[in-house]
Amino acid sequence: MEKTRKILLSEKEMPTKWYNIMADMPNKPMPPLHPATKKPIGPEDLAPIFPMELIKQEVATDRYIEIPEEVQDLYKTYRPSPLFRAYNLEKSLGTKSKIYYKHEGLSYAGSHKANTAIPQAYYNKLEGVKRIITETGAGQWGSALSFACQYFGIDLEVFMVRISYDQKPSRKLMMNTYGAQVTASPSDRTKFGREILEKHPDSPGSLGIAISEAMEIAVQDSDTKYALGSVLNHVLLHQTIIGQEAVLQMEIAGELPDVIVGCFGGGSNFAGISFPFLKLNFTEGKNIRFIAVEPASCPKLTRGKFMYDFGDTSGMTPLLPMYTLGHNFIPAAIHAGGLRYHGAGVLVSQLLKDNLIEARSKKQKECFEAGVLFARTEAIIPAPESNYAIATAIEEAKMADEEGVSKTILFNLSGHGHFDLTSYDKYFGGNLEDHELTNEEIEKSLSEIS
Amino acid sequence: MEKTRKILLSEKEMPTKWYNIMADMPNKPMPPLHPATKKPIGPEDLAPIFPMELIKQEVATDRYIEIPEEVQDLYKTYRPSPLFRAYNLEKSLGTKSKIYYKHEGLSYAGSHKANTAIPQAYYNKLEGVKRIITETGAGQWGSALSFACQYFGIDLEVFMVRISYDQKPSRKLMMNTYGAQVTASPSDRTKFGREILEKHPDSPGSLGIAISEAMEIAVQDSDTKYALGSVLNHVLLHQTIIGQEAVLQMEIAGELPDVIVGCFGGGSNFAGISFPFLKLNFTEGKNIRFIAVEPASCPKLTRGKFMYDFGDTSGMTPLLPMYTLGHNFIPAAIHAGGLRYHGAGVLVSQLLKDNLIEARSKKQKECFEAGVLFARTEAIIPAPESNYAIATAIEEAKMADEEGVSKTILFNLSGHGHFDLTSYDKYFGGNLEDHELTNEEIEKSLSEIS
């Protein structure tokens, strides 16, 4: 019997609008607050760092927002992305459940980050911006933005978290090849970076620190804007292209997922796959479950506190209502660099608070074990971040088997692991460590900010 | 106006047969000769190293050979591959010509090599083979076969050319992740490897040496077969899936290529894209041009001699009628490791001898320049090997512009460059060298074998 392994959409079938969950979520998030006045911020507060179209999207309440034609056109360098049925993985598990995955690793940057890099660069270009500064963790966001900026004629400087800069030199070279300049963070290029280095000369860095450095330069230079690869509403909005395609593809497969899984750093790939299916829960009475999976070493969703906190370490961003471990929190140097972030996006935090989604944490060795099984069955070597989603999809399949039921499980394969093979090597050599925080460590980190 | 960037085929549209050019080429190649008797070899001579189904394919004259269902099924983990129109590249060149590329870099291994790795592992499994030994240059073939062997339950050992082993550690780790064992060649594991190391302790290795080492072990061990990633007829046969898809896709685009370009190591990706279009020349009177592009530092097609020579350095393989630089030739350590081979496949050699295809050589700096332009316009960072095809496609477009005509150019993007970023770094730093051989060097190498 002939199997269909993957469901493709033609370019003509690619959605032409982003889905804005603000229109449908029952409780809207509380507003971001100005760090000085503690009053809700207005568009003018964000204007120095973001182009106005992105600020509008940050607060938009329309259900759909048109994807500009030039953005659609560049999406087509890699989109629509295929949706795979994981037949080989299912067989090796001996599960009765069906496992599907949306493969975002085929983009030029190797992950979903291109979905927001392209529109962010585009809207900056429309406003005549000549230079952007950003941060990157594992390097996927930086790579994605590097090409997009090159294409639209914008200079890009990237602050790359030190531990990833050292672990993944080829990610830096990829950004260089696309024409961007890359600096390891913390760096001596900024006041905040120098302060950190003075106290912790061996700091592995964090996304929070890298954001602070990038913003410090952006606000000083009126010709320079800042760009963020996750957390913010407009970023999550852009990622909904993933889930909207997947809704169409699951329809073609003739299935509705029982459960949808995404790994979780700031929320962008999880939101991308989930929000368009959450709409089905909100507007069509479906009952799909959603699981955000975070590292046990950076458990803001499962062990953090819902409160107003800064998005960066130095306290330059607006205060955001979110699950957080405290903006001073420096996660252990695990290999899923894209998940090493102290907070969670506002939209996803609100949905979790309202019990509309679930969260789970996992240690890295179990996730690498799942990633190796996936590689050896489905042929694709996943990014360490994606391994958290794979491990959870496998766990859900096993739980269903124990219950004696068959479930339809969909996860987002956020990226490939071509630049992460040294971490697999460490796994095979028994040199990966699992990190779990004590309650005291979490309380200490949170007490510093409340 | 809405552009279609890429033409996709559904899994159902994927060709189910390989195209065998032996059926249609006007002059059949001369037979391989036994190295000792100098008489044409028979199937029994190859039986110790290859499974019988592959030996049959090596000499088959049927026009089409069925692709086994299990092979078709695994092809679908990444096939059919998309065919792109290079709009952005065309625009940056300001050319009137249309440039298309078939993107083989989306396979699990990152190149076209999976197209033959899967059937080779499959036919070995059918014969109950438990262990395979192979060589790899840049690591693409080794990576491709690693997953295929893992999937079919076969142990794999790979001799990887030393210079690539050192340049591209992640390729080794990719093979390990798929479960293969990797040894740098020349090695002390074989008699021939030890001989080389004694004379040249710093030998960068070559495909010819690595083949000798792999074969030396395979012939000694009756439970072990050997596998080759290029050159042989059955390998080129498997690659025709590329060109057959491209024929369908160009039909959908409503175009017939004027010229088709592939980079050239042993001939497999060039044959893959070209042979199904050559069939149109043979059977439908079309007049498509075909250009095989090789490195100026390894110019067997443009400056080598058509003669019987060994496929490996130690002289273990049958004697093959081919363009060669001599089996002792050690190419300079350029970064396109997959093109560092002294000879050319028998089928492609015969076609070149009969002027049915063209050959051209290029130096590596021009090719990297083309690769960077491609990356910064089309978003994909190409393998150094593929850069030779890109540079030639660009050259053809410029020549057409000078003539005042518009041509339709199709090239094969054989793979991505995710594991080759240090070579791009060298290019940017001005640290790449161009190598061109003197006539004396070529004559000396050839005189050693005649």
Side-chain angles (χ1 to χ4, degrees), chain A residues 34-90:
Chain A
H34 193 285
T37 65
K38 303 283 192 293
K39 296 217 170 119
I41 57 166
E44 67 286 359
D45 294 312
L46 295 173
I49 56 168
F50 292 122
M52 196 45 71
E53 277 303 315
L54 292 176
I55 296 171
K56 282 189 201 162
Q57 290 179 1
E58 192 61 24
V59 296
T61 53
D62 321 66
R63 181 170 285 120
Y64 287 102
I65 292 175
E66 286 283 342
I67 306 176
E69 265 189 36
E70 250 179 292
V71 173
Q72 287 185 44
D73 177 47
L74 265 198
Y75 272 176
K76 290 174 186 170
T77 59
Y78 64 95
R79 300 209 74 82
S81 73
L83 181 121
F84 280 85
R85 171 86 183 267
Y87 282 110
N88 299 359
L89 176 63
E90 287 173 19

Side-chain angles (χ1 to χ4, degrees), chain A residues 19-26 63-64 236 240 243-244 247 256-257 259-260 267 270-292 347-352 354-358 410:
Chain A
Y19 168 63
N20 183 7
I21 201 166
M22 283 274 248
D24 292 315
M25 60 198 292
R63 181 170 285 120
Y64 287 102
L236 275 50
T240 60
Q244 288 188 87
V247 167
L256 187 72
V259 55
I260 293 179
F270 172 77
I273 189 83
S274 296
F275 285 5
F277 284 98
L278 258 167
K279 175 171 178 285
L280 304 183
N281 281 9
F282 293 149
T283 64
E284 298 183 22
K286 303 296 184 195
N287 200 22
I288 305 167
R289 290 171 55 220
F290 299 87
I291 307 174
L347 290 170
V348 181
S349 290
Q350 186 65 44
L351 291 165
L352 180 63
D354 292 339
N355 291 313
L356 298 168
I357 61 170
E358 305 166 32
L410 167 64

